[in-house]
Amino acid sequence: MAEPRAGQDSDRDLDGHVAPDLGGHQPPKHPTDEELADILRPELEAAEAELTGEPKDERPKSTDKDFFQALGGWGALLDIGLPWIAFLIVYGVTDHDLKLALIVAIACGAAVAVLRLIRRQPLRNVLGGFVGVLISAWVANRSGNAEDVYLPGLLTNVGYGLLYLITVLIRWPLFGVLYGLITQTGTAWRRDPAMLRGFSRATWVFVALFAIRLIVQVPLYLAGSLNALGIAKVGLGLPFYALALWLAYAVLRGSLPADKWDEARDHITHLLGGGKKK
């Protein structure tokens, strides 16, 4: 009977099984069923999502801080208010030089816009404020009255105040309508009492914002009290808007169950941040 050849069959037993190599070498180890399942799990989940049409949402949950950052943060308030502060200061220190004050206000708005462009930051607040400054400057320059620089703002507050008020009274609060549009859920929010109540309350906050601005500023405008009107414009612009925004935010959050609030905040934050809902 032939002897087994060295290095080939000497490691097999009488039944033909491979015996362990006493020299320290082990035969190749095959993965267990559990290990195979772990390896293939990502591919299986991806295939399941593709078949069901429900891809996994990898977008992280938003936070309250993300919500305010999406609105522009405190920098947005500076974008809107800086030209008006500059106008008031220059008009006061130059012995009521209206044209120079208007030029400085426009230049401040333009400078902020250029800075945002250089830093590749959102321009929506800058552009809105800059257009408002241009319109106000044109009106004041045409009339020759410095207080008329605030007239477009007063008319804007009247228009927005009426719009917000009417939408609440007819039970179609503007915040709810906007929410349905940006989340592509239509009018589903109106069939939810908590959502309807929350959006109505938040909209009422901004009705109050515009009403208070008008109650304070209109008498000052009619009396020609430019300095007081300028201070009221600044005070009821940046700080008051921030307060109203915080109140509307708190009212909406307090009116909704936790799960619905998280969903609403995620939708709005992601959209304002420039993303698209998946």
Side-chain angles (χ1 to χ4, degrees):
M1 186 174 186
E3 293 292 334
R5 287 175 295 176
Q8 293 184 2
D9 298 332
S10 58
D11 57 348
R12 294 181 179 273
D13 59 18
L14 295 178
D15 295 325
H17 298 118
V18 178
D21 189 341
L22 297 179
H25 299 287
Q26 296 292 335
K29 181 180 178 181
H30 298 288
T32 63
D33 293 343
E34 291 77 7
E35 291 172 335
L36 284 173
D38 290 336
I39 295 173
L40 297 175
R41 183 173 289 111
E43 287 77 6
L44 293 174
E45 290 179 351
E48 181 181 1
E50 186 70 22
L51 291 174
T52 58
E54 297 179 357
K56 183 179 179 181
D57 188 3
E58 298 179 354
R59 190 176 67 226
K61 290 291 184 180
S62 66
T63 64
D64 292 353
K65 182 179 179 180
D66 295 331
F67 179 83
F68 283 109
Q69 289 300 321
L71 291 172
W74 295 107
L77 302 180
L78 181 62
D79 294 343
I80 298 172
L82 183 60
W84 301 109
I85 297 174
F87 170 83
L88 187 63
I89 293 175
V90 173
Y91 187 79
V93 301
T94 59
D95 194 22
H96 301 170
D97 189 333
L98 177 59
K99 288 188 177 181
L100 179 59
L102 293 175
I103 291 172
V104 171
I106 294 173
C108 285
V112 172
V114 171
L115 179 62
R116 292 292 188 188
L117 280 173
I118 294 175
R119 300 179 64 178
R120 297 182 179 180
Q121 295 175 328
L123 287 174
R124 58 178 177 270
N125 295 310
V126 178
L127 293 178
F130 186 56
V131 171
V133 171
L134 288 177
I135 295 175
S136 298
W138 181 81
V139 171
N141 187 60
R142 291 276 294 180
S143 68
N145 298 320
E147 60 269 19
D148 285 346
V149 75
Y150 300 110
L151 181 59
L154 294 176
L155 296 177
T156 300
N157 281 300
V158 171
Y160 276 118
L162 289 175
L163 174 63
Y164 278 69
L165 176 61
I166 291 173
T167 62
V168 174
L169 294 179
I170 63 176
R171 296 180 62 80
W172 282 86
L174 186 58
F175 283 159
V177 174
L178 294 176
Y179 177 80
L181 290 174
I182 64 178
T183 60
Q184 300 179 358
T185 56
T187 61
W189 59 272
R190 290 195 80 243
R191 296 188 289 273
D192 188 322
M195 298 281 279
L196 177 58
R197 180 171 58 253
F199 287 129
S200 296
R201 290 174 177 175
T203 305
W204 271 117
V205 170
F206 274 80
V207 172
L209 163 72
F210 298 122
I212 292 173
R213 282 178 175 176
L214 292 171
I215 291 172
V216 174
Q217 294 182 47
V218 168
L220 296 175
Y221 172 79
L222 296 176
S225 301
L226 184 63
N227 289 336
L229 183 58
I231 294 173
K233 169 72 175 181
V234 174
L236 294 176
L238 308 182
F240 202 57
Y241 174 80
L243 176 61
L245 184 63
W246 178 83
L247 287 175
Y249 174 85
V251 164
L252 183 59
R253 181 176 60 182
S255 301
L256 298 179
D259 58 336
K260 291 181 180 179
W261 165 245
D262 288 341
E263 180 182 358
R265 184 187 59 201
D266 288 345
H267 278 302
I268 298 172
T269 301
H270 190 59
L271 184 80
L272 292 176
K276 296 180 180 180
K277 187 179 180 301
K278 295 181 181 181

